Amino acid sequence: MWGGRFAAGPDAVMQAINASIDFDQRLWREDLAGSRAHCRMLADQAIISAADRDAILGGLDQIEAELEAGDFTFDPALEDIHMHVEARLREIIGPAAGRLHTARSRNDQVATDFKLWVRNAIDSIDGQLAAFQTALLAQAEAHLETIMPGFTHLQTAQPVTLAHHLMAYWEMARRDRGRFADARARLNECPLGAGALAGTSFAIDRAATAAALDFDKPTDNSLDSVSDRDFALEFLSAASICALHLSRLAEELVIFASQPFGFVTLSDRFSTGSSMMPQKRNPDAAELTRAKVGRILGAFQALSIVMKGLPLTYSKDCQEEKEPVFDATDSLSLAIAAMSGIMEDLKFRPEPLRAHAAAGFSTATDLADWLVQALGLPFRDAHHVTGAIVKLAEDKGCGLEDLSLAEMQSVHSDITQDVFTRLGVDNSVASRTSHGGTSPTNVAAQIKAAKAVMGLE
């Protein structure tokens, strides 16, 4: 395609390092879409004839059918998907194929194809995240009254509802979807028509090709158009944060499924056994989801390093952009699917959840709050009094709610029987009615609002 300037072909090593068809063939749908839009615009602008337009579009239709059927032959000598399409088009329709590349460079072509691919990936991942949120909502609705320990430092801190805990991950997914939506909005400008770097002298209509490809507008600077990969970095950044959230949930499930905790049972569909120990049920899907974040964060790091020193405009370094993005997308998609499936099947065990929620004097803060509200103690004084009462219960080997009023009054004489309305995990959870708090009433309202946002009711 560029041999007129060269007297000899590339060395085998040069051909190997230069070819990207092994991975960028994934762009074929986007490449055909961009070529069709460009072809129609050229004809509308009288840059090519209607006959050439029809021949090109017919040839592209045949190429699409061959690719869909798996009958298309790939040749590393043709470097990339763009040259493969052009070469096959020439075989089908002859010299008219050469007119398709009028007023177009591979630089703006690949930027357009890659933007289209990332945009499609965002739309697919958004749908997966919505399904994940739906699974979380279903479990949350089923466990509005189920009490579990809330942790800090992985130590039992205060009782919360299981629904509240699950809805925390719904919120993370909501923010993830927002980040992907923001990235999609920013990338939705069309580079096609920017040429190699400086635009073109042909009277093209970039607004028409942008509209045909569902972009909001054409890009405004031809230099930036062909060299910008912010959209890929932003996509990988959003993917990395999303993967971190999935990894946190996966980590909790690995811990919660272990025998010392016994909070959950993973289904057979998302567990594996041991080749040696017949009793084992291993949470491998969760563990592998936890591991996928390494590949996705690595992709962001890899592309950042590729881009950090590139001068304007296009450099062949940019060829290395695609593999990390493709791999990260595959990894994230698989991780979301795994966590959605796990969540749909997951069985929670209310008894150990409740028992652990009551352990470690988890309602001590409720006692301190009561001392402030009922007796008017400064919180720091209430904190001290509560600590002394906790020590008393610890020495007796009982819970705070199991102490007698007299025993509490031995620490502070003004304590009344009313204190017991705050102690115990049910009372504690019910009292947390501040906005965003864990009371079942609050969480029910949050679930209702979440379903409304998602159009589920």
Side-chain angles (χ1 to χ4, degrees), residues 147-149 156 263 349-360 362 425:
I147 294 176
M148 68 171 287
T156 298
F263 290 174
R349 302 180 64 212
E351 295 81 8
L353 283 165
R354 183 182 181 87
H356 280 75
S362 64
V425 293

Side-chain angles (χ1 to χ4, degrees), residues 69-309:
D71 295 333
F72 192 92
T73 300
F74 293 101
D75 179 1
L78 291 174
E79 293 187 22
D80 56 30
I81 188 62
H82 323 296
M83 292 177 68
H84 273 78
V85 169
E86 185 172 341
R88 180 62 182 136
L89 187 63
R90 182 175 287 270
E91 290 174 354
I92 295 170
I93 69 170
R99 300 191 187 282
L100 176 59
H101 210 56
T102 306
R104 185 177 73 170
S105 164
R106 273 196 297 175
N107 293 358
D108 60 335
Q109 185 179 1
V110 69
T112 303
D113 290 0
F114 198 29
K115 274 195 171 185
L116 288 170
W117 194 94
V118 171
R119 191 177 70 182
N120 290 336
I122 288 173
D123 292 343
S124 177
I125 286 170
D126 182 72
Q128 285 191 281
L129 285 173
F132 174 56
Q133 286 182 298
T134 300
L136 288 168
L137 285 172
Q139 288 282 17
E141 276 196 300
H143 290 285
L144 264 173
E145 304 290 339
T146 302
I147 294 176
M148 68 171 287
F151 296 101
T152 61
H153 309 280
L154 205 56
Q155 307 293 312
T156 298
Q158 292 179 287
V160 297
T161 61
L162 176 54
H164 193 51
H165 188 93
L166 293 169
M167 288 304 292
Y169 285 100
W170 187 93
E171 291 289 343
M172 294 181 209
R174 175 184 63 81
R175 294 193 298 273
D176 289 329
R177 293 181 70 187
R179 272 182 283 270
F180 282 119
D182 288 345
R184 191 191 194 283
R186 264 184 292 279
L187 74 77
N188 210 36
E189 298 180 358
C190 184
L192 194 57
L197 74 160
T200 178
S201 60
F202 289 95
I204 62 174
D205 185 351
R206 293 191 61 205
T209 49
L213 295 169
D214 292 324
F215 285 105
D216 295 331
K217 62 185 287 292
T219 51
D220 290 332
N221 184 289
S222 62
L223 299 172
D224 182 55
S225 300
V226 298
S227 63
D228 165 42
R229 295 300 183 269
D230 290 2
F231 65 92
L233 285 166
E234 191 169 3
F235 169 73
L236 289 176
S237 174
S240 296
I241 297 171
C242 181
L244 287 170
H245 290 154
L246 296 172
S247 181
R248 294 182 71 182
L249 177 57
E251 169 72 2
E252 288 194 336
L253 294 179
V254 169
I255 293 171
F256 291 170
S258 67
Q259 283 72 27
F261 278 78
F263 290 174
V264 300
T265 301
L266 273 67
S267 72
D268 290 349
R269 293 200 311 143
F270 292 96
S271 304
T272 64
S274 165
S275 62
M276 184 182 203
M277 297 168 285
Q279 84 282 7
K280 291 296 294 298
R281 177 192 291 273
N282 298 325
D284 283 6
E287 292 174 354
L288 289 166
T289 294
R290 186 176 59 185
K292 290 293 184 186
V293 69
R295 296 176 69 149
I296 297 167
L297 284 169
F300 178 79
Q301 179 83 341
L303 185 54
S304 298
I305 292 170
V306 167
M307 297 303 299
K308 72 175 182 63

